[in-house]
Amino acid sequence: MLAIGSPVPGLTVRPIRPDDKAQLAAGLALLSEASIYRRFLAPKPRFTTTELRYLTEVDGLDHAALVAVDRTGALVAVGRYVRSQTDPESAEVAVVVADHLQGRGVGTWLGLQLADRARAAGILHFTAIMLPDNTAALRLLTRISAHLRTSYHDGVRELIADLAA
Ligand SMILES: CC(C)(COP(=O)(O)OP(=O)(O)OC[C@H]1O[C@@H](n2cnc3c(N)ncnc32)[C@H](O)[C@@H]1OP(=O)(O)O)[C@@H](O)C(=O)NCCC(=O)NCCS
């Protein structure tokens, strides 16, 4: 798929870097409690040093993350996949967009580019776990793949999106 332009003027996308730790922590601090809960399925007041290292020092193949950056250099969205250790053709995906930019196409923009990278890395399926009422996340996955399988476990919805279709 061809790279598509940002749906919001002034945003650029790039892979996450080790020197994004402070910006990533700042982005979490600005997220609403609701968005944090939808992303992590738990409260997340801050990242530990170990978590920041894990989230920013990625190999781009088994663990890849794309960030959207605004004109000030702030990270305003993150899309990430982590390859399964038991099924190398599968990876768990998660996307989060700053509250003030949600609903403007940024999540879809990032998600489609992440899916392209995953395909190039030999990943055939994205899995995603979300609250059952998270319509935006469901629609985003629908934009990434027309072939979704849904199941429910312990109060959450699990989606498997076929990237090959
Ligand atoms: C889920 C999330 C990443 C989607 O990103 P986004 O930039 O807001 O979404 P987009 O603008 O690209 O819209 C994606 C789809 O969701 C729909 N949508 C967006 N916000 C919505 C809302 N509040 N309610 C219902 N649908 C919504 C859009 O209409 C679009 O559907 P369409 O393509 O059929 O028109 C973002 O809302 C977010 O960060 N939420 C909190 C964290 C989270 O839930 N992460 C998902 C974990 S898997």
Side-chain angles (χ1 to χ4, degrees), residues 97-159:
V97 176
D99 286 80
H100 68 288
L101 291 173
Q102 288 179 13
R104 297 175 62 184
V106 176
T108 301
W109 178 57
L110 219 49
L112 289 172
Q113 293 179 73
L114 197 62
D116 283 345
R117 284 179 178 254
R119 283 189 202 92
I123 291 165
L124 303 182
H125 303 100
F126 270 166
T127 61
I129 298 171
M130 62 191 66
L131 297 179
D133 69 350
N134 195 344
T135 309
L138 174 63
R139 305 247 8 125
L140 192 161
L141 266 291
T142 306
R143 293 289 299 276
I144 289 176
S145 170
H147 294 267
L148 296 181
R149 280 169 280 160
T150 306
S151 57
Y152 294 88
H153 312 279
D154 303 323
V156 295
R157 173 165 54 205
E158 180 169 347
L159 287 183

Side-chain angles (χ1 to χ4, degrees), residues 65-87:
L66 294 176
V67 294
V69 181
D70 72 11
R71 289 192 177 100
T72 72
L75 301 193
V76 293
V78 183
R80 174 183 311 276
Y81 76 71
V82 179
R83 194 188 302 262
S84 163
Q85 294 189 350
T86 53
D87 177 4

